[in-house]
Amino acid sequence: MKWLRVAAGLDRLSDGIGRATAWLSLLMVLVGAFNAIARYLGRYIGVQLSSNAYLELQWYLFSLIFLLGAAHTLRHDAHVRVDVFFAKLTDRGRAWTNIIGTSVLLIPFCIFMLIVSWPSIRNSWAIREVSSDPGGLPRYPLKAVILVCFALLLLQAVAELIREITALRRGTPTAHDRPHPPAEGV
C-alpha cells in the first residue's frame, strides 16, 4: 500500500505538470498567430512587427510542451504502442510486457539521457548560451528542461512499474488494461 501511495503522488505530479503544459499549447498558438499576422501586416504597412525572438518563443513553447508533456503522456497511456501485439495478450501478459519494457528499456533510457545530456546543459549554463540569430533568446534555460523532462519521465516510469507489479501480485488488471471511454467527437 505504501508503494501505491508513492505511485499516486507521482501521478499527481505528472497530472499537475500536464495541466500546466496544456496552457502552454494555447500560448504557443497565440504567439504563432501573432507571428503570422505581424509578418503580413508588417509587409503591408512597411514596418517590421515581428522578430526572431517571437519566432524562437514559438519554437521554445513547442519544445516545452513536448518535453514537459512526456511524463503526463506515459501516465495516461497515450504513448505510441504496438497494439497488434499488445492487444492479443492477457492482462498478465500485458503487465509483464509493461514491467519488462519499463525496467529494461524506459528506465535505463531515462538514466542514460540524464547522464549524456548533463555536460552539454552544464556548458550551456556556464556560457549563458544564446541563440545565434539576431535578437534571439537565451537557450540555456530551455536546455535545462531536458533534464527536467527525463527526471519526470523516470519518476512516472517508476510509478507505472509500481502499479504493474502490484496489479500482477494481486491478479488484477491495471488501469491501463481496462477499456478506455471513447474520445470525444469520435
Side-chain angles (χ1 to χ4, degrees):
M1 284 301 206
K2 177 179 127 181
W3 289 109
L4 283 177
R5 283 195 301 273
V6 170
L10 295 172
D11 289 344
R12 283 192 298 278
L13 175 66
S14 290
D15 284 340
I17 292 171
R19 280 190 299 278
T21 302
W23 286 103
L24 291 177
S25 300
L26 175 62
L27 183 58
M28 182 188 68
V29 168
L30 293 174
V31 169
F34 171 79
N35 282 332
I37 292 168
R39 249 190 337 265
Y40 290 110
L41 185 60
R43 283 186 202 154
Y44 180 73
I45 63 173
V47 176
Q48 186 171 346
L49 299 174
S50 189
S51 71
N52 285 337
Y54 291 125
L55 293 171
E56 287 186 6
L57 177 60
Q58 186 177 347
W59 281 104
Y60 283 23
L61 289 169
F62 176 78
S63 298
L64 288 172
I65 292 164
F66 178 81
L67 292 169
L68 294 175
H72 182 72
T73 301
L74 178 63
R75 155 88 172 103
H76 291 282
D77 202 32
H79 56 285
V80 176
R81 181 188 296 280
V82 183
D83 279 337
V84 174
F85 167 73
F86 197 74
K88 294 179 182 178
L89 295 174
T90 64
D91 289 343
R92 193 168 173 77
R94 289 179 187 179
W96 274 111
T97 301
N98 286 336
I99 289 168
I100 292 168
T102 300
S103 54
V104 173
L105 299 172
L106 182 56
I107 290 175
F109 177 71
C110 290
I111 293 168
F112 174 77
M113 290 306 297
L114 287 166
I115 292 167
V116 168
S117 61
W118 171 248
S120 173
I121 294 165
R122 184 187 61 227
N123 291 342
S124 183
W125 274 81
I127 64 169
R128 301 290 194 251
E129 183 181 4
V130 178
S131 170
S132 59
D133 293 327
L137 299 175
R139 289 208 172 139
Y140 62 96
L142 184 64
K143 284 189 174 183
V145 178
I146 294 169
L147 293 175
V148 174
C149 163
F150 284 104
L152 291 171
L153 193 56
L154 178 61
L155 291 173
Q156 189 59 46
V158 169
E160 298 300 315
L161 194 58
I162 291 169
R163 200 175 357 275
E164 291 291 348
I165 290 170
T166 303
L168 193 61
R169 285 184 176 167
R170 291 181 178 173
T172 59
T174 63
H176 298 307
D177 294 330
R178 295 184 201 116
H180 296 288
E184 292 180 26
V186 175

